[in-house]
Amino acid sequence: RGRQDAGNMVASASPDQLLRVGMQGQMILAPLTRGGNLPFRRLCADFGMRVGVGEMVFARMLLNDDKKEKARLRRAANEGLFGVQIATNDVEEGVRAVALAAEAGADWVDLNCGCPIYEATRRGLGSALLRKPDRLATLVRGISERSVLPLTVKVRTASVGDDVNVRQVVAELRKAGAAAVTVHGRTAEQRYSKAADWGVIAAVVGDGVDAGSEVPIIGNGDVQEWYEARRRLEETGVHAVMVGRAALTKPWMFDEFDRSKAWEPDVAERVAVWRKLACYMKEHFRDDARGK
């Protein structure tokens, strides 16, 4: 009887609800431009990564049939929940990009509203979207209402200077239909120059609790070790923790997080890990004249 009831609950759950359940309490791999490619995510999945996001995809270039952008929609066979991150400021463009991600097998799509690089912001993408919360909410509402997949949003605490407006931004995103919001605890101008402000992230979580919102907050920034991830989960009440640069040097940190125990590989073990990655890259990207 209990199993049947549980099965009925799963069957009646919305895609947004199923995604939230799958993310809860997890260490999530962040979208890493030029680093979070399929071979690397495959390696992380070998080490226990259950939820991950691919490299950022420029939606307009994807819709123009750009081969590099299309390749970023692919998932590794051993990946669990897989999200595609898109950069767009246009509803129609976003809806069409989500449809392509769904065709490629993604479980959800994340809208990039945190990238501080000029290549994105000069086009009105990434963190530039944080300058006008109302317009961003309209964009998210327009995409989410017509999306075949759950839509999450990744933001920073502010776009320009020290004008931290993330609490206002997230409040608007909750009402606009975001399935979840990831908050990177730095402003766009800070990039990675200052420590992430987890106090602000905790305040955003508190706002959601006060509002009775079901939209989960994922915390991101300066998580270098498994025990830091555990501490952030407990202290701030975030739904999950996202890791980025630390995973590039320690892809086994997902296993450490699962076991709550550090792994200190010796030289031979480290070489074996990177040799495996090299094999995955050769298999995925193939040989070329330079690689032979």
Side-chain angles (χ1 to χ4, degrees):
R1 175 71 180 178
R3 289 184 180 180
Q4 184 178 355
D5 291 342
N8 291 337
M9 289 177 64
V10 171
S12 63
S14 69
D16 284 13
Q17 290 170 328
L18 290 174
L19 177 65
R20 292 165 185 167
V21 170
M23 288 180 165
Q24 188 168 14
Q26 294 294 321
M27 177 185 281
I28 301 173
L29 178 66
L32 295 165
T33 301
R34 298 188 181 91
N37 49 52
L38 186 151
F40 179 73
R41 299 196 313 274
R42 181 181 175 186
L43 179 69
C44 290
D46 285 346
F47 282 111
M49 180 196 75
R50 296 187 179 89
V51 187
V53 189
E55 297 174 275
M56 182 182 70
V57 175
F58 284 106
R60 189 160 301 170
M61 295 170 66
L62 174 66
L63 297 175
N64 287 331
D65 208 32
D66 184 280
K67 291 183 178 179
K68 290 183 179 179
E69 300 303 303
K70 288 177 67 176
R72 294 186 175 117
L73 301 182
R74 292 179 59 187
R75 69 189 298 166
N78 64 339
E79 287 190 84
L81 283 173
F82 171 62
V84 167
Q85 187 183 68
I86 62 171
T88 185
N89 56 11
D90 180 82
V91 171
E92 189 64 34
E93 192 176 84
V95 171
R96 292 171 60 197
V98 171
L100 291 178
E103 288 177 13
D107 296 301
W108 88 95
V109 168
D110 184 73
L111 177 64
N112 185 311
C113 300
C115 182
I117 64 172
Y118 181 66
E119 183 65 19
T121 57
R122 73 180 180 86
R123 303 177 184 182
L125 305 174
S127 61
L129 293 168
L130 301 176
R131 297 170 188 168
K132 298 180 179 180
D134 293 343
R135 185 176 297 180
L136 173 57
T138 299
L139 173 66
V140 170
R141 182 175 294 106
I143 297 175
S144 64
E145 287 180 346
R146 296 167 56 194
S147 174
V148 295
L149 295 175
L151 180 71
T152 63
V153 185
K154 189 170 189 288
V155 303
R156 283 187 175 237
T157 58
S159 177
V160 181
D162 295 322
D163 183 20
V164 175
N165 67 341
V166 67
R167 297 174 72 174
Q168 175 193 357
V169 168
V170 174
E172 294 295 330
L173 293 177
R174 289 190 180 102
K175 294 182 288 185
V181 181
T182 299
V183 179
H184 182 137
R186 294 184 179 89
T187 68
E189 283 192 2
Q190 288 173 343
R191 296 206 175 191
Y192 299 99
S193 63
K194 293 187 178 181
D197 188 345
W198 281 82
V200 171
I201 296 174
V204 173
V205 173
D207 290 343
V209 172
D210 292 342
S213 173
E214 295 182 357
V215 179
I217 302 300
I218 300 165
N220 176 223
D222 288 341
V223 176
Q224 304 293 330
E225 301 288 349
W226 68 265
Y227 51 82
E228 292 176 342
R230 291 286 181 201
R231 178 165 59 86
R232 295 305 188 187
L233 282 167
E234 294 170 3
E235 292 181 353
T236 65
V238 290
H239 191 74
V241 171
M242 183 172 282
V243 297
R245 292 172 298 159
L248 290 173
T249 55
K250 289 180 58 176
W252 53 84
M253 68 187 301
F254 298 95
D255 182 60
E256 293 180 323
F257 178 78
D258 281 346
R259 296 187 299 115
S260 294
K261 183 179 180 181
W263 181 48
E264 299 294 342
D266 59 27
V267 173
E269 289 170 325
R270 286 178 182 271
V271 170
V273 170
W274 301 120
R275 185 181 294 276
K276 177 185 281 191
L277 177 59
C279 290
Y280 286 170
M281 286 190 167
K282 184 175 180 180
E283 180 182 330
H284 180 68
F285 294 116
R286 310 292 184 183
D287 271 334
D288 58 21
R290 294 182 179 181
K292 291 182 179 178

